[in-house]
């Protein structure tokens, strides 16, 4: 099953993708995680992406789309995948669709995780992520078992540079202007499924697997 997770930054796409990956073994492909990994390793891609990410802007479409098109060709995507954070605008969505069509493939479902903006700001300023594996936590609502340490891999929990209030406002602006039109784009195709992102992780996850017909 090929799935896109759609929603504002901080709506909970990453957390749900991690859960889907654990339960159904579908690769969780997060463009943000791939960029951050490249920044950490100081690759050419990382150098290019850094200034965009630090200011909350989108990395150029061609770079991002090619990155994803190559990634979903890999062997582990044979039985499906979860795209988290891609596509983020119509150019990317159309690039993906064209390439999938050429290969007689398609996206099966788009999960739109909706959330209130003020709650998002609170969620993102309190977010911490594992430096090693990217698993997200929250200082109040989703604590790790041992403070500052990832439950899954023992990595250190850090605050992302772009999780400050100022950059969050810019990221939300980009989301409202560029990503939101994708809701209608996929709704018209009949593959959009909606879930509330501000419930407990367990409830959001259960709703997602219900709308995917996996329960
Ligand atoms: P995320 O972890 O999904 O919040 O992404 C963090 C940052 O990575 C975004 O604010 C963008 O700068 C960049 N990014 C992630 N996904 C994309 C995408 N599909 N297109 C362009 N830039 C992206």
């Amino acid at each position: 099953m090929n799935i896109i997770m759609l929603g504002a930054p901080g709506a909970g796409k990453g957390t749900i993708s991690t859960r889907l990956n654990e339960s159904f073994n579908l690769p969780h492909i997060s463009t943000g995680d791939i960029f951050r990994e490249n920044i950490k390793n100081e690759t050419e891609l990382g150098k290019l992406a850094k200034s965009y990410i630090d200011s909350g802007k989108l990395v150029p479409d061609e770079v991002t789309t090619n990155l994803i098109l190559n990634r979903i060709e890999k062997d582990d995507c044979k039985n499906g995948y979860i795209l988290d954070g891609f596509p983020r605008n119509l150019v990317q969505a159309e690039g993906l669709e064209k390439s999938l069509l050429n290969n007689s493939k398609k996206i099966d479902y788009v999960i739109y995780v909706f959330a209130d903006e003020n709650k998002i700001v609170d969620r993102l300023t309190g977010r911490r992520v594992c430096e090693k594996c990217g698993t997200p936590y929250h200082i109040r609502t989703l604590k790790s078992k041992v403070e500052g340490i990832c439950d899954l891999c023992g990595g250190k929990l850090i605050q992302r540079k772009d999780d400050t209030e100022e950059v969050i406002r810019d990221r939300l602006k980009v989301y409202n202007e560029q990503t939101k039109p994708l809701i209608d784009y996929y709704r018209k195709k009949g593959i959009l499924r909606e879930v509330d992102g501000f419930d407990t992780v367990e409830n959001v996850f259960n709703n997602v697997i219900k709308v995917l017909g996996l329960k």
Side-chain angles (χ1 to χ4, degrees):
M1 190 182 281
N2 301 338
I3 303 166
I4 289 174
M5 301 297 293
L6 186 63
K13 304 186 298 296
T15 307
I16 298 308
S17 302
T18 304
R19 289 292 303 269
L20 283 172
N21 167 263
E22 284 163 8
S23 300
F24 302 103
N25 206 21
L26 294 170
H28 169 200
I29 304 172
S30 153
T31 34
D33 284 350
I34 297 174
F35 288 136
R36 281 183 289 275
E37 185 66 22
N38 276 273
I39 291 172
K40 202 164 81 186
N41 296 329
E42 297 181 357
T43 66
E44 285 305 313
L45 176 65
K47 282 179 206 156
L48 179 128
K50 188 171 176 1
S51 59
Y52 295 99
I53 294 186
D54 285 353
S55 59
K57 307 231 160 41
L58 293 188
V59 177
D61 291 333
E62 205 186 323
V63 175
T64 312
T65 305
N66 285 336
L67 179 76
I68 288 299
L69 295 184
N70 287 328
R71 178 64 187 87
I72 60 178
E73 280 301 305
K74 296 251 160 74
D75 231 30
D76 64 337
C77 291
K78 263 197 331 257
N79 298 321
Y81 48 80
I82 307 155
L83 294 182
D84 167 14
F86 181 93
R88 252 176 157 97
N89 61 24
L90 279 169
V91 175
Q92 295 180 7
E94 285 166 1
L96 173 68
E97 189 174 329
K98 203 168 134 207
S99 165
L100 289 175
L101 264 177
N102 285 340
N103 294 300
S104 312
K105 290 180 184 150
K106 64 179 171 57
I107 294 297
D108 298 293
Y109 291 108
V110 177
I111 306 292
Y112 169 40
V113 189
F114 58 88
D116 175 88
E117 263 196 27
N118 290 321
K119 289 188 187 163
I120 282 179
V121 174
D122 177 63
R123 183 182 268 181
L124 288 183
T125 48
R127 176 161 74 176
R128 299 294 179 268
V129 293
C130 173
E131 187 177 49
K132 255 195 188 155
C133 72
T135 300
Y137 296 86
H138 189 279
I139 51 171
R140 287 184 300 280
T141 56
L142 189 60
K143 293 182 180 176
S144 56
K145 289 183 187 118
V146 180
E147 200 186 322
I149 303 290
C150 177
D151 293 347
L152 300 184
C153 76
K156 192 173 145 204
L157 303 188
I158 54 160
Q159 181 172 34
R160 278 170 44 175
K161 249 193 177 161
D162 59 347
D163 276 347
T164 58
E165 183 152 356
E166 198 193 339
V167 183
I168 291 166
R169 296 280 176 202
D170 287 339
R171 289 164 65 202
L172 286 171
K173 191 160 170 269
V174 170
Y175 170 75
N176 285 320
E177 289 172 2
Q178 299 200 43
T179 313
K180 256 193 165 167
L182 296 182
I183 298 168
D184 257 357
Y185 177 84
Y186 288 118
R187 188 179 280 135
K188 283 187 188 133
K189 294 183 185 296
I191 56 173
L192 192 83
R193 302 290 181 271
E194 304 184 35
V195 296
D196 181 354
F198 270 84
D199 203 334
T200 61
V201 174
E202 214 43 48
N203 285 348
V204 183
F205 179 66
N206 280 327
N207 288 335
V208 169
I209 56 177
K210 222 185 277 166
V211 297
L212 289 174
L214 296 170
K215 195 179 183 184

